[in-house]
Amino acid sequence: MQLGMIGLGRMGGNIVRRLLRDGHEAVVFDQNPEAVAALVAEGAVGATSLEDFVAKLSLPRAAWVMLPAGTITEATVKTLGGLMARDDVIIDGGNSFYKDDIRRAAELKLAGLHYVDVGTSGGVWGLERGYCMMIGGDTAALERLDPIFRTLAPGVGDIPKTPGREGRDPRAEAGYIHAGPSGAGHFVKMIHNGIEYGLMQAYAEGFDILRHANSPDLPETHRFDLNIGDIAEVWRRGSVVSSWLLDLTAGALAQDEHLTDFSGFVADSGEGRWTLNAAIEESVPANVLSAALYARFRSREEASFADKMLSAMRKGFGGHQEPK
């Protein structure tokens, strides 16, 4: 199947590579000509402008926008909406605000266009591991795009089946779901990222307590000089707190137990804030998630070892670099 990709950064470029490896066709565009040239060398068809991009797609077209949420995505979707034809599909795979998806879908529907929002998780590891996808949009568009989603998803793999799921939608076990109408995909991904904040904060604070177990403030007989790299490693193996985030933590600590390359300045990309806004609108208490977001705010004033741990995890799963 053919897919167009706009935005060839850490995730957009690797999504294209995963599709090409499975025999799909790709038309690519990015403001950086070198990013386009790199994928052309791997088998993609390059475009020099959005107009050229649309012209090189076969009807009915499918164009995936993988750009930062906000102004650039809004402008790109609007431009595509004016260039594409009835029954074409515009996909936003970034981290857009779900209410923007609902509005865009309604606007594009007036021109006969489909709009699909894909909450995409997998970070820099998605090329090899696959991408977990939470998808919003109409059923007809999703059915047409299913070959794309099947290739991008991790697949069933060796994860044990969940008892009691017999007869339910098999796509969830493969790593992607039709979450609901337009906006539902990014809403689910938004909550996913809010939970991610909380999980990361719990690991970071726990390891910070372990690291300070030999504090001079403690009675000498109560001090422990702990190897936190070994603790992270042993917890990976059979403990109830094992996870991919713990795997990344163990890897970072194995390289440098003091995390000296990290300042501890921890950014937030918006989804944590939006998650709390949703909690407020729904009158749902979210004590842990709100505390995790506020901890990121505090990290920008005075960094702790826990903040360095958060930075290390963010770099591990998403390639996020600390601000200079």
Side-chain angles (χ1 to χ4, degrees), residues 85-264:
R86 179 173 293 275
D87 208 32
D88 288 349
V89 183
I90 297 176
I91 306 157
D92 180 5
N95 282 323
S96 289
F97 186 41
Y98 74 98
K99 292 182 180 179
D100 290 334
D101 294 315
I102 296 170
R103 171 180 51 79
R104 290 176 194 151
E107 293 170 351
L108 293 169
K109 187 176 181 179
L110 296 175
L113 296 170
H114 303 276
Y115 179 86
V116 173
D117 53 290
V118 182
T120 312
S121 182
V124 296
W125 297 88
L127 176 59
E128 302 301 333
R129 291 168 55 105
Y131 299 90
C132 172
M133 292 169 290
M134 300 135 270
I135 308 165
D138 65 80
T139 300
L142 267 68
E143 287 180 350
R144 185 194 308 172
L145 294 168
D146 194 68
I148 295 294
F149 298 138
R150 279 203 315 271
T151 288
L152 294 178
V156 175
D158 57 2
I159 297 175
K161 287 185 173 292
T162 301
R165 279 200 55 87
E166 295 78 12
R168 303 185 66 175
D169 190 340
R171 292 177 294 184
E173 292 181 338
Y176 66 109
I177 60 168
H178 183 187
S182 297
H186 277 148
F187 183 85
V188 175
K189 177 57 162 51
M190 175 183 78
I191 305 305
H192 164 283
N193 283 24
I195 293 170
E196 179 185 290
Y197 281 32
L199 292 172
M200 293 171 67
Q201 189 65 31
Y203 281 124
E205 291 178 8
F207 277 98
D208 207 6
I209 295 169
L210 292 170
R211 180 174 178 269
H212 287 89
N214 62 353
S215 169
D217 295 333
L218 296 169
E220 189 170 351
T221 56
H222 292 180
R223 298 176 196 170
F224 303 108
D225 189 13
L226 301 172
N227 186 317
I228 59 173
D230 284 354
I231 293 169
E233 185 63 30
V234 77
W235 282 355
R236 292 180 61 212
R237 305 179 184 280
S239 86
V240 297
V241 298
S242 59
S243 71
W244 186 34
L245 286 174
L246 185 60
D247 294 346
L248 298 172
T249 299
L253 292 172
Q255 293 182 42
D256 175 12
E257 191 162 312
H258 301 289
L259 303 179
T260 51
D261 289 340
F262 296 94
S263 70

